[in-house]
Amino acid sequence: MPPVITDIEDLHRLYRRRVPRMFYDYCQSGSWTEQTYRENETDFDLIRLRQRVAVDMEGRSVRSKMIGREVAMPVALAPVGLTGMQHADGEILAAKAAEAMGVPFTLSTMSICSIEDVARNTTAPFWFQLYVMRDEDFIDRLIERAQAAGCDALVITLDLQIMGQRHKDLKNGLSAPPKLTPTSIANMMTKVQWGLGMAQTKRRFFGNIIGHAKGVEDASSLSSWTAEQFDPRLDWDKIRRLKEKWGGKVILKGILDAEDARMALAVGADAIVVSNHGGRQLDGALSSIRMLSEIVDAVGDQIEVHMDGGIRSGQDVLKAIAMGAKGTYIGRAFIYGLGAMGQAGVTRALEVIRRELDVTMALCGEKDIHNVGRHNLLVPRGFSGEWDPRGRDG
Ligand code: GLV
């Protein structure tokens, strides 16, 4: 009998059993002490919902729009590096599940399946996430490839020009494809389905990079190339130039400060993603949900504000929307589904979240996601704002 999946945690448990340790750990890490990674989740728990009764609940809708695109719910799949290592052809499968559900899929620069692989296997346009690298020719070509593939938004990640250290990845010797050591071989031998899938696909390298970037012909040179290539000189002028080159909708991801949100507005971005990269970059930064309302208050009437980080349920989505986000992203929550059950698992993750969102909305006394707002929440006093930005203790 197939397992009964009732929530995202069920998928997480299966995922943990089915995917090699190295890739499980990659997904389940934050940087250094993992404080921000943990608080992205636990801060959602601090916000409570207002129960309302005797409200007609028939004819509910969680349908909405993200940057003008109709979405079945305000939830997109976040760009996640190495998704095709969590399950063979993972990016293609996740993109198909997103398309069938009617939500956007975002392909990471550091994906295993290439832009062209995903485009060939889907019909709905997807979003392409760009890491800004030193090799400008390569970036120009990536942008052109995304244009040729019909991508309808460019998501530029701003918070990973230098990589935050995740201890487990160093200890595991993370690589794609995995390096064969006695430990990794012993672990992979227990992941039979995963191994069969990987044996049957040719997509085991960073598909957007291998054969496209100069001097990167094999995987062994890739990790050092990545460390060398991410461009630490990225600034707002460069973002402006990239936006011009792209010529379409631009989403700036990794904004966690109201001043940066104003800069994003000034360069003419279509949306920002309030994000700390899933707690994988600046450990000690505040959680995304804590920062959200300040940023919404600063720019929310002039630019679409999205958020990611810590969303593991439809209740979390509802809280983020009620705090003022126009869209949310799930990363780990869909990776659990993918590693657990392939495309069906991603579909299940999306179904679980949509149902939770719908029922939670109803129990809050709302019929339309557009009417959800701060009046639906009980937010503890001082939740987002008792911090002095100049580091004084008052
Ligand atoms: C890359 O985006 C990572 O967080 O590992």
Side-chain angles (χ1 to χ4, degrees):
M1 239 194 37
V4 179
I5 305 293
T6 57
D7 63 2
I8 296 296
E9 193 47 34
D10 280 344
L11 291 169
H12 181 194
R13 272 190 291 272
L14 280 178
Y15 165 59
R16 185 180 192 145
R17 284 214 298 275
R18 294 183 178 173
V19 173
R21 189 77 205 187
M22 179 185 294
F23 301 116
Y24 174 81
D25 280 351
Y26 171 70
C27 170
Q28 281 306 105
S29 316
S31 51
W32 293 294
T33 71
E34 303 192 329
Q35 178 187 30
T36 301
Y37 164 53
R38 283 191 301 278
E39 289 183 356
N40 271 347
E41 285 184 44
T42 54
D43 281 351
F44 267 108
D45 298 339
L46 300 176
I47 300 174
R48 307 295 163 83
L49 299 167
R50 266 180 82 196
Q51 172 175 306
R52 300 302 306 275
V53 297
V55 179
D56 176 4
M57 292 176 184
E58 211 152 76
R60 292 184 308 280
S61 169
V62 294
R63 300 194 68 81
S64 190
K65 281 190 176 170
M66 287 171 77
I67 55 162
R69 173 166 169 179
E70 298 266 350
V71 290
M73 59 179 163
V75 177
L77 299 197
V80 179
L82 282 81
T83 293
M85 282 288 131
Q86 304 287 358
H87 189 288
D89 302 334
E91 290 89 357
I92 294 173
L93 301 183
K96 285 180 157 192
E99 174 169 349
M101 177 65 65
V103 297
F105 171 76
T106 317
L107 184 72
S108 165
T109 296
M110 305 310 278
S111 58
I112 303 298
C113 303
S114 67
I115 298 172
E116 294 76 12
D117 283 335
V118 175
R120 261 195 301 275
N121 287 281
T122 51
T123 52
F126 56 96
W127 296 348
F128 181 66
Q129 175 270 339
L130 183 74
Y131 276 125
V132 183
M133 305 201 188
R134 288 180 196 268
D135 182 344
E136 295 199 355
D137 287 348
F138 173 61
I139 293 296
D140 282 356
R141 273 181 284 122
L142 264 182
I143 290 181
E144 284 155 19
R145 288 167 63 196
Q147 285 165 335
C151 293
D152 60 352
L154 188 69
V155 179
I156 308 177
T157 298
L158 304 184
D159 60 358
L160 198 143
Q161 294 316 113
I162 295 177
M163 198 121 167
Q165 177 171 309
R166 301 101 192 228
H167 303 322
K168 290 175 223 157
D169 293 349
L170 294 178
K171 292 192 167 101
N172 291 332
L174 176 76
S175 64
K179 285 200 185 64
L180 299 179
T181 65
T183 316
S184 72
I185 293 171
N187 182 251
M188 280 189 282
M189 282 177 48
T190 65
K191 315 294 176 190
V192 178
Q193 279 301 110
W194 178 91
L196 286 174
M198 283 298 165
Q200 283 162 19
T201 184
K202 290 205 249 349
R203 302 183 184 102
R204 278 177 248 144
F205 303 89
F206 290 98
N208 290 329
I209 291 166
I210 296 290
H212 292 279
K214 284 187 263 354
V216 184
E217 303 306 332
D218 65 43
S220 58
S221 66
L222 189 71
S223 55
S224 55
W225 181 85
T226 305
E228 285 158 21
Q229 277 302 310
F230 281 55
D231 187 356
R233 298 160 308 180
L234 174 64
D235 60 14
W236 293 103
D237 277 342
K238 192 151 191 177
I239 295 164
R240 239 181 234 111
R241 288 202 297 279
L242 288 168
K243 184 178 178 307
E244 238 158 70
K245 163 100 188 143
W246 171 250
K249 299 234 161 131
V250 166
I251 302 174
L252 296 181
K253 176 173 178 286
I255 304 287
L256 206 65
D257 192 279
E259 267 175 51
D260 287 337
R262 284 187 202 100
M263 294 303 293
L265 181 64
V267 300
D270 296 276
I272 55 173
V273 188
V274 174
S275 173
N276 48 41
H277 214 102
R280 302 163 72 80
Q281 287 296 101
L282 179 63
D283 185 38
L286 288 184
S287 67
S288 305
I289 189 67
R290 252 186 219 268
M291 286 309 298
L292 180 60
S293 58
E294 184 184 330
I295 294 177
V296 167
D297 290 346
V299 297
D301 55 343
Q302 298 166 78
I303 190 171
E304 225 173 276
V305 178
H306 301 171
M307 73 83 70
D308 73 11
I311 293 185
R312 307 286 182 269
S313 68
Q315 297 90 300
D316 294 341
V317 173
L318 185 111
K319 289 172 184 177
I321 299 297
M323 289 287 255
K326 294 284 183 271
T328 64
Y329 296 73
I330 52 170
R332 293 182 179 95
F334 94 79
I335 292 292
Y336 299 162
L338 179 71
M341 298 158 60
Q343 183 176 335
V346 181
T347 301
R348 193 72 197 106
L350 288 166
E351 284 170 353
V352 161
I353 287 181
R354 187 176 56 182
R355 171 130 185 90
E356 289 171 342
L357 174 61
D358 173 55
V359 174
T360 305
M361 184 177 81
L363 295 174
C364 286
E366 299 290 349
K367 289 208 305 197
D368 184 341
I369 193 83
H370 296 101
N371 296 336
V372 165
R374 292 189 198 176
H375 61 280
N376 299 116
L377 301 178
L378 298 164
V379 182
R381 288 213 171 79
F383 178 69
S384 51
E386 301 288 313
W387 311 92
D388 190 311
R390 288 165 299 279
R392 292 192 309 253
D393 62 9

